[in-house]
Amino acid sequence: MPLIVLWDIDHTLIDNGGVSKEIYAAAFTSLAGRSPTEAAQTEGRTDRLIMREMFLRNHLPEPDWATVQAALAGAGAERLSDLRRRGTALLGVREALKAAAARADWVSSVLTGNIAANARVKLSAFGLDELLDLPVGAYGADAVQRPELVAVARERVQRHHGLPTDAPVVLVGDTPRDVEAALSADAGIIAVATGVHSQTELAAAGAHTVLPDLSDTANLLRLVESFASH
């Protein structure tokens, strides 16, 4: 049965080694002419929301989104080598993505708060971009709030691949915002405690399936496949 699998990126597929917050700081500085007073608050927020909150906390007017997005893309492109040097693909991720990509009846893409350009930079730093159907993913430029991204990905998958409108969707992510996005959009959720949130916290957020990491490929695929009949 067709299945749409949408992976979060930061702390689900990769550890960015702190480069993400440097990207936001650099983009802010290029637009504001000074450094932010504190680091970006991320944890599952979209880039649109992260940058909006940075300008609000710094008591500055928010530039138009096209300008902000260009600054983010520029800052991300400049840090590809930093990502390769300081970051890493997380345990079991490459094997999991290869296995999902091999399933002819699955569409495996991303649902991420990153803008598309920076999502590709982060994935390509570790050779993961070719294992995902990135054109049909949902990104941080597509909405302010993460739950809205599920509908964006559904529509893109249906338009590009002709899947039925009721094809089940499962998200894989590491934050309560990933859980919220799935539950609010009638999607499945596999939460993974590879970020700052514990298995207990993710279960309390409403995730019925919580894993310590993505190292057990066979078990992960069984869990993902179980959503195909939902």
Side-chain angles (χ1 to χ4, degrees), residues 2 64 76 92 160 187:
D64 68 272
H160 283 78

Side-chain angles (χ1 to χ4, degrees), residues 11-219:
H11 308 295
T12 298
L13 298 181
I14 71 164
D15 180 340
N16 63 61
V19 173
S20 265
K21 293 197 175 184
E22 294 173 9
I23 289 172
Y24 298 120
F28 177 92
T29 300
S30 71
L31 296 170
R34 65 172 176 84
S35 299
T37 56
E38 58 186 88
Q41 296 178 5
T42 54
E43 294 184 8
R45 291 173 172 83
T46 66
D47 278 3
R48 293 186 79 130
L49 184 57
I50 290 167
M51 294 302 291
R52 176 176 294 176
E53 290 181 346
M54 286 186 77
F55 279 95
L56 284 172
R57 288 197 308 276
N58 284 271
H59 308 290
L60 293 172
E62 181 187 9
D64 68 272
W65 171 244
T67 301
V68 174
Q69 183 170 207
L72 283 169
E78 291 171 355
R79 285 163 178 77
L80 176 60
S81 61
D82 291 334
L83 276 165
R84 287 175 173 156
R85 186 177 71 254
R86 291 160 47 191
T88 186
L90 291 173
L91 186 66
V93 161
R94 196 175 310 278
E95 295 76 13
L97 294 182
K98 284 181 179 178
R103 290 292 301 265
D105 52 343
W106 293 5
V107 175
S108 180
S109 189
V110 295
L111 188 148
T112 175
N114 291 282
I115 61 170
N118 288 350
R120 188 173 289 277
V121 165
K122 290 178 177 182
L123 293 167
S124 66
F126 311 106
L128 302 178
D129 52 321
E130 295 181 353
L131 301 175
L132 291 154
D133 190 346
L134 295 181
V136 300
Y139 301 93
D142 294 322
V144 174
Q145 300 297 338
R146 196 177 194 94
E148 300 171 49
L149 296 179
V150 181
V152 172
R154 274 192 170 116
E155 191 277 331
R156 286 178 178 159
V157 169
Q158 288 155 9
R159 187 171 73 244
H160 283 78
H161 295 288
L163 266 63
T165 57
D166 60 349
V169 177
V170 56
L171 274 57
V172 184
D174 68 287
T175 74
R177 282 187 169 83
D178 294 299
V179 178
E180 176 196 11
L183 297 180
S184 68
D186 195 28
I189 176 68
I190 296 175
V192 57
T194 44
V196 300
H197 298 283
S198 68
Q199 290 180 263
T200 301
E201 289 173 316
L202 293 167
H208 298 300
T209 303
V210 185
L211 301 175
D213 54 43
L214 298 177
S215 61
D216 188 340
T217 304
N219 182 52

